[in-house]
Amino acid sequence: MSRAHVSHSGGDLLRPTDSFVPRHLGPSDSDTEAMLAALGIASIDDLIDETVPAGIRLPERLALDGPRTESEALAEIRGIAAGNRVMRSFIGMGYHDTLTPAVIQRNVLENPGWYTQYTPYQAEISQGRLEALLNFQTMVSDLCALPLSNASLLDEATAAAEAMGMCWSVGRQKRHRFFVSDDCHPQTIAVVETRATPLGIDVVVGDLEDFDPSGEDYFGVLASYPTTDGRVVDLAGVAERAHAHGTRVVVAADLLALTLLRAPGEFGADIAIGSSQRFGVPLGFGGPHAAFMAAADDFKRLMPGRIIGVSKDSAGKPALRLAMQTREQHIRRDKATSNICTAQVLLAVMASMYGVYHGPDGLRRIAARVHGLAELVRTAARRLGHEVADGPIFDTVRITPQGIDATAVRYAAEQRGLNFRYFDDGSVGIALDEPTTAEEVTAILESLTPADTETPEVEPLAAEASTEVDPAFARTSDYMTHPVFHENRSEHQMLRYLHKLQSRDLSLVHSMIPLGSCTMKLNASAEMAPVTWNEFGRLHPFAPENQTEGYRELFRQMESTLGEITGYDAVSLQPNAGAQGEYTGLLVIRAYHHARGDHDRDVCLIPVSAHGTNPASAVMAGMKVVSVDCDDAGNIDLDDLKAKAEKHADRLSALMITYPSTHGVFEETVREVCDTVHAHGGQVYMDGANMNAQVGVTTPGSMGADVCHLNLHKTFCIPHGGGGPGMGPIGVKAHLAPFLPGHPVVETGGEQAIGPVSAAPWGSPSILPISWMYMRMMGEEGLRRATGMAVLNANYMAHRLRDHYPILYSGRNGRVAHEFILDVRAFKDSAGVTVDDIAKRLVDYGFHAPTMSWPVAGTLMVEPTESESKDELDRFCEAMIAIREEIRAVEDGTADGDDNVLHNAPHTLAELTRDDWPHPYSREQAGWPKPWLRDAKFFPSVGRVDNAWGDRHLVCTCPPVEEMAEV
């Protein structure tokens, strides 16, 4: 046997083998040359010259380091993580350590089959995720005893703010006062106040005992259950008083406590909100975590976020889908009641699976143990001579030390690796949690023991402690009775259930997801690895600063790098979603104007092509939306902009633009657009959804934009996770930096900071290592090349498809940016084929549809990203070309006008293997229209879903099995 001879130059020997850039970029060098040749150009640099206006291109390269290999970057971030001191935090305040079942961590959180899915707008290829979210809704609705629940929100504080908005809207905004109990968590109070101020809502914070709705203009009241310091208070009287005067009641509840305590819906709450974090989701220094919301039925048209509903498919089989999608912002725009776009879906899936795995009995057992430990600590504290209030509690004990002060308690606790909560009055809060061990309880008691006093022994105290809550507050109603919460106790069963659901969802593990504006690129395994390290996952967001130096170094580096990439002077990482970044940027602009005495500047100019969340965010920021037209080429109509800027010059606050435009072109007049707004006293906000076409080539700051938000879950590789987590940090010019958001618990933000927009000081910190790793491994050269490759891939695909579908908009030299719009509207008249038919038919070819009907109704917006190989781009183009031929067959009468592959798509395996075949086309044409599908084929688990039927018969919790069978 001979052995091939391989020669190496000295340079090759010194070159590492785990370079990341060629792993991130899909096309090989030879593929790149072939695509460039197809376009008739010599290099990616030449393509950028032809595509991006010369006036906005950077004269120099970004001041960033060169790329790191995967192993180098992991070693470096391991060093950063070492700066975090992981201690056991019993701080509470809405955040609790938890035990993530390994079967859920490995098969959901660490599984690209779950974390690379897109938002389930295409229901037929999202049935697994939709079922997991329906389980979440059912669990929340049952525990809260309220009929309606959504599929998660961003965090507890913003959920409270959303609930306030719902109460205001259901009362038609006729009243303007909202009462907030001072027993709520401080971050929740602060975020509610931030949200209320620009809307003109007067938030009154005070003692619930003083709440009197009879003589005031109150539309709602927010109470905490249990309170922030652990007490369980009777809220039935509050609800009765409020309802007597038409005031709505919102309860911020602990989901685990509701397994033992009377449910909010049972004592009169209209809305219940909270966090599902302690259901198996790591602390993560504050996020991401899925918030929950449950409400009375009359709120269903006002519920923010997403609701999963039960409908039926084309065969009459039960099928799940997103219900009432007319609530989406791209339809309602400035009439939307919320700007929520990203939800914490991956985390909601984890929480729901925690509920499925443990079931109601397991959750009750966990809650009873936590409660019993709290009672044990309370009893011991009394025996040590400390003051502890009587009355019912769940998991938190507030102690006023005697014979030892709080400073000494803190020193003793930290010496033992423990963090407690320390109140201004010298009392100490201790919140027990699921992972608490006997040894930790001993350490807690030792920390509370005064000098010359013997620490009580834990075992005798445990024998005495009661796990039963006060009978006056005890829950007597059943919950989580659906079979799904009783069938998966063993790990084998749970593993198979998770993989059964995963198999019903199309994700990036199957094929490209070519969604315009959504940038579904590689989420590299090396980037994901640090997320589950304890150094990042087990830190409480309010842990002492000297324990979190690693995170703070990560934040410093992230802010510096993002500032360089965007051309901005300061960055805030706090917004924990893209739309939250929009909202934050506008609040910062508002604060800037107010600081200058310009209180009347409240007009926000928004092009008609803008993201739907833009006008919704503007309204939430207290602004009045004025639309700006676009011309026939899809660009901002400069004459219309100038006319409206001049008309509203005395009140002009901001312009919101997206660049490249949502039409997929680099507009030539962007500098003139910014100059026009500035000349009339306004500020320019740039939506950063399309930063994938800017990095290393241009910057928002150099174009003239004053503030820009960044979708880290798009350009910077945090995975979509089926609709979240996301991050939406903002960058600002120096004059806006003083107004960056602050926080009531941890010092952050500018000198004249606006209030917090998220519950945690830095939003969702535990996923920031993903973007850090991406930027570090790519380096300046890699990031710039990624932008060029994204533009090349899009132009190559547009070139291949141009002869088959009209490309709706193009820029200079006929080029597109990193995405483009296919115009399929004419097929409705020529063949009776709609954009929905094409989207569903793509499923038969193994692909997720591009973005449908946005920003132009009846079109498809395609974005390949830089991570897809030429082979994958070609497969998608071949699928689209084949679909065009199928449309042509209908047009010329070769195919039946009604019974054809397009109208009947997608085709399930059950349909393709039925004994009788009722269609005039073959099974092969239906299910295997291209040769590659013989090698690997994704089958949807349901046929086309009937959305209209589902809206007429809204069911948003798991229905009984017999009802499912009758759908």
Side-chain angles (χ1 to χ4, degrees):
M1 178 183 290
S2 62
R3 180 174 298 191
H5 175 72
V6 180
S7 63
H8 294 279
S9 67
D12 286 336
L13 288 175
L14 298 177
R15 186 175 298 127
T17 59
D18 65 335
S19 297
F20 177 72
V21 175
R23 301 297 190 188
H24 179 79
L25 301 177
S28 64
D29 290 344
S30 59
D31 289 339
T32 300
E33 291 176 4
M35 291 191 289
L36 289 168
L39 295 176
I41 49 179
S43 69
I44 290 179
D45 286 341
D46 288 345
L47 175 63
I48 295 298
D49 287 342
E50 288 191 9
T51 306
V52 184
I56 65 168
R57 291 206 295 274
L58 296 176
E60 299 177 351
R61 293 189 176 185
L62 298 175
L64 299 176
D65 290 343
R68 302 288 195 271
T69 66
E70 293 189 21
S71 56
E72 287 171 341
L74 283 168
E76 187 174 348
I77 200 168
R78 179 67 81 179
I80 292 173
N84 291 327
R85 183 182 173 198
V86 182
M87 292 176 45
R88 280 288 280 124
S89 288
F90 298 93
I91 297 170
M93 299 178 70
Y95 299 96
H96 306 268
D97 206 351
T98 183
L99 297 176
T100 306
V103 66
I104 295 174
Q105 176 168 319
R106 186 172 182 84
N107 294 285
V108 178
L109 179 59
E110 297 174 350
N111 183 350
W114 282 99
Y115 65 67
T116 68
Q117 302 160 343
Y118 182 59
T119 306
Y121 292 123
Q122 296 292 336
E124 295 81 4
I125 53 176
S126 308
Q127 289 296 296
R129 185 174 358 135
L130 288 167
E131 181 171 328
L133 293 175
L134 188 69
N135 292 344
F136 179 86
Q137 289 180 181
T138 303
M139 178 176 70
V140 168
S141 183
D142 282 3
L143 289 172
C144 295
L146 287 163
L148 184 68
S149 175
N150 66 10
S152 77
L153 292 171
L154 298 174
D155 58 38
E156 181 170 339
T158 54
E162 294 287 345
M164 175 183 67
M166 291 167 63
C167 294
W168 196 41
S169 295
V170 81
R172 301 186 182 277
Q173 303 179 359
K174 292 180 179 179
R175 301 183 184 182
H176 295 277
R177 280 198 162 193
F178 188 70
F179 191 94
V180 177
S181 169
D182 55 12
D183 285 330
C184 293
H185 298 310
Q187 69 272 19
T188 299
I189 296 172
V191 170
V192 168
E193 290 176 327
T194 300
R195 182 74 61 89
T197 300
L199 299 176
I201 295 173
D202 180 17
V203 172
V204 179
V205 180
D207 192 325
L208 271 181
E209 293 295 324
D210 299 329
F211 172 56
D212 180 9
S214 64
E216 301 289 351
D217 187 29
Y218 288 113
F219 64 83
V221 55
L222 171 66
S224 190
Y225 182 70
T227 64
T228 187
D229 62 353
R231 292 170 293 115
V232 178
V233 297
D234 185 0
L235 297 176
V238 174
E240 186 176 351
R241 293 201 312 272
H243 290 156
H245 297 279
T247 302
R248 300 286 181 156
V249 178
V250 182
V251 172
D254 183 310
L255 204 58
L256 187 64
L258 297 184
T259 64
L260 302 180
L261 298 176
R262 190 179 178 199
E266 295 174 343
F267 57 73
D270 298 290
I271 303 173
I273 60 97
S275 173
S276 64
Q277 178 264 314
R278 68 190 310 174
F279 277 33
V281 181
L283 282 164
F285 204 45
H289 307 139
F292 66 85
M293 174 180 282
D297 189 66
D298 54 344
F299 285 97
K300 66 185 175 185
R301 295 288 168 183
L302 297 170
M303 181 76 85
R306 300 172 183 134
I307 298 175
I308 312 305
V310 181
S311 186
K312 61 180 181 178
D313 74 355
S314 53
K317 178 182 176 181
L320 308 179
R321 31 80 76 174
L322 288 179
M324 300 185 295
Q325 290 196 41
T326 55
R327 296 173 303 106
E328 293 293 331
Q329 290 82 12
H330 68 274
I331 295 173
R332 300 192 66 184
R333 298 177 68 82
D334 56 320
K335 298 298 189 297
T337 55
S338 169
N339 75 335
I340 289 292
C341 185
T342 302
Q344 308 285 33
V345 169
L346 184 68
L347 299 316
V349 169
M350 289 181 66
S352 78
M353 292 306 177
Y354 183 92
V356 167
Y357 197 36
H358 288 293
D361 294 337
L363 294 179
R364 192 180 296 112
R365 186 163 54 249
I366 293 168
R369 180 177 180 273
V370 169
H371 173 65
L373 291 172
E375 291 287 7
L376 184 158
V377 170
R378 177 156 71 167
T379 299
R382 284 176 177 152
R383 292 186 183 178
L384 288 169
H386 304 311
E387 290 183 10
V388 186
D390 292 326
I393 60 172
F394 170 56
D395 65 354
T396 301
V397 185
R398 184 170 182 174
I399 301 164
T400 302
Q402 304 295 309
I404 181 174
D405 62 21
T407 302
V409 170
R410 180 169 189 159
Y411 177 80
E414 291 184 0
Q415 289 296 108
R416 290 166 173 79
L418 311 176
N419 291 321
F420 302 152
R421 181 180 180 183
Y422 301 96
F423 294 89
D424 291 340
D425 65 357
S427 60
V428 179
I430 302 174
L432 286 302
D433 54 30
E434 181 188 7
T436 304
T437 64
E439 292 76 17
E440 288 171 343
V441 174
T442 297
I444 290 170
L445 301 186
E446 289 173 346
S447 303
L448 294 169
T449 302
D452 302 323
T453 303
E454 186 175 347
T455 302
E457 291 187 19
V458 169
E459 288 193 10
L461 287 168
E464 298 175 21
S466 172
T467 59
E468 300 293 328
V469 297
D470 187 313
F473 293 90
R475 180 165 195 149
T476 58
S477 58
D478 290 334
Y479 50 86
M480 297 171 63
T481 58
H482 193 275
V484 73
F485 299 112
H486 298 265
E487 296 171 343
N488 300 284
R489 290 296 164 271
S490 75
E491 184 168 329
H492 250 152
Q493 291 169 304
M494 191 66 193
L495 179 69
R496 289 165 182 160
Y497 181 62
L498 288 170
H499 279 266
K500 180 180 75 171
L501 297 194
Q502 179 189 331
S503 71
R504 295 175 178 175
D505 276 32
L506 187 145
S507 69
L508 284 175
V509 306
H510 298 98
S511 59
M512 73 182 295
I513 301 180
L515 289 153
S517 186
C518 291
T519 316
M520 299 291 290
K521 61 166 71 177
L522 172 71
N523 313 124
S525 298
E527 295 161 3
M528 299 299 294
V531 171
T532 51
W533 294 350
N534 277 345
E535 293 89 343
F536 290 126
R538 293 198 73 184
L539 262 67
H540 192 286
F542 306 143
E545 184 174 348
N546 62 6
Q547 298 172 21
T548 63
E549 273 305 310
Y551 258 123
R552 291 169 189 271
E553 177 59 26
L554 181 75
F555 300 153
R556 284 189 286 269
Q557 293 190 22
M558 286 285 294
E559 290 169 5
S560 174
T561 303
L562 293 176
E564 176 66 17
I565 286 171
T566 57
Y568 285 123
D569 302 295
V571 171
S572 170
L573 300 171
Q574 191 177 116
N576 55 4
Q580 294 296 96
E582 296 172 10
Y583 171 63
T584 307
L586 293 177
L587 286 185
V588 166
I589 289 173
R590 179 179 183 273
Y592 166 75
H593 287 311
H594 285 202
R596 291 160 52 89
D598 289 337
H599 295 278
D600 294 331
R601 289 195 175 274
D602 62 353
V603 168
C604 186
L605 303 178
I606 301 180
V608 294
S609 62
H611 284 91
T613 54
N614 285 182
S617 295
V619 170
M620 285 173 52
M623 298 182 184
K624 296 176 174 57
V625 174
V626 174
S627 294
V628 177
D629 294 337
C630 290
D631 61 23
D632 292 340
N635 302 309
I636 292 174
D637 186 323
L638 200 56
D639 290 336
D640 190 54
L641 172 71
K642 289 180 177 179
K644 286 172 178 170
E646 184 174 352
K647 177 181 178 181
H648 300 285
D650 293 340
R651 294 179 56 196
L652 182 58
S653 178
L655 165 74
M656 301 183 79
I657 58 172
T658 302
Y659 202 82
S661 74
T662 49
H663 292 143
V665 296
F666 286 94
E667 297 190 36
E668 300 281 340
T669 60
V670 62
R671 284 190 185 275
E672 191 174 356
V673 165
C674 294
D675 290 344
T676 298
V677 174
H678 290 148
H680 292 88
Q683 296 284 288
V684 177
Y685 162 88
M686 182 172 286
D687 186 314
N690 292 342
M691 274 299 296
N692 211 40
Q694 287 193 43
V695 180
V697 174
T698 185
T699 69
S702 65
M703 281 183 258
D706 301 284
V707 55
C708 175
H709 94 266
L710 302 170
N711 293 104
L712 298 190
H713 51 290
K714 294 183 180 180
T715 303
F716 298 97
C717 291
I718 292 174
H720 277 64
M727 280 287 278
I730 62 169
V732 297
K733 289 288 193 181
H735 64 282
L736 296 180
F739 308 101
L740 291 176
H743 196 275
V745 182
V746 178
E747 184 176 350
T748 187
E751 296 155 2
Q752 298 170 263
I754 63 171
V757 295
S758 299
W762 289 277
S764 296
S766 70
I767 55 176
L768 288 176
I770 301 169
S771 296
W772 185 95
M773 285 287 294
Y774 169 67
M775 292 186 289
R776 202 65 168 163
M777 292 189 294
M778 293 294 282
E780 185 279 332
E781 181 180 354
L783 290 170
R784 181 165 42 83
R785 186 165 179 81
T787 301
M789 192 64 72
V791 174
L792 173 60
N793 284 355
N795 277 277
Y796 172 72
M797 293 181 73
H799 169 77
R800 283 211 60 188
L801 295 174
R802 194 179 298 274
D803 292 339
H804 307 276
Y805 300 89
I807 306 298
L808 193 55
Y809 300 111
S810 58
R812 62 203 319 260
N813 301 308
R815 301 299 186 193
V816 299
H818 64 304
E819 59 191 8
F820 58 94
I821 298 176
L822 297 174
D823 191 351
V824 300
R825 292 173 292 184
F827 302 138
K828 187 172 184 180
D829 291 332
S830 67
V833 172
T834 66
V835 66
D836 290 293
D837 294 325
I838 297 172
K840 305 310 178 187
R841 182 58 177 155
L842 272 169
V843 175
D844 289 330
Y845 285 84
F847 288 106
H848 195 294
T851 300
M852 288 173 48
S853 292
W854 187 84
V856 180
T859 65
L860 294 168
M861 185 161 65
V862 181
E863 180 182 355
T865 83
E866 70 272 17
S867 295
E868 296 297 344
S869 68
K870 180 177 180 293
D871 286 344
E872 189 72 356
L873 305 183
D874 284 333
R875 271 193 292 272
F876 181 81
C877 290
E878 288 167 18
M880 288 299 297
I881 293 168
I883 288 172
R884 179 64 185 95
E885 292 307 308
E886 291 170 350
I887 295 171
R888 186 168 285 111
V890 178
E891 290 173 328
D892 64 21
T894 306
D896 188 281
D898 295 316
D899 191 2
N900 57 64
V901 289
L902 292 146
H903 287 171
N904 295 332
H907 297 82
T908 64
L909 183 61
E911 182 178 7
L912 291 167
T913 56
R914 59 189 289 182
D915 291 338
D916 61 317
W917 181 250
H919 306 299
Y921 51 89
S922 70
R923 299 175 198 255
E924 183 171 18
Q925 184 185 358
W928 297 271
K930 283 291 179 181
W932 71 74
L933 296 167
R934 290 289 179 182
D935 178 57
K937 165 76 176 178
F938 176 88
F939 288 101
S941 58
V942 298
R944 194 175 304 196
V945 177
D946 189 334
N947 289 323
W949 191 94
D951 276 347
R952 291 194 305 271
H953 305 83
L954 180 63
V955 177
C956 62
T957 56
C958 298
V961 175
E962 59 272 16
E963 287 187 18
M964 289 286 283
E966 293 172 2
V967 168

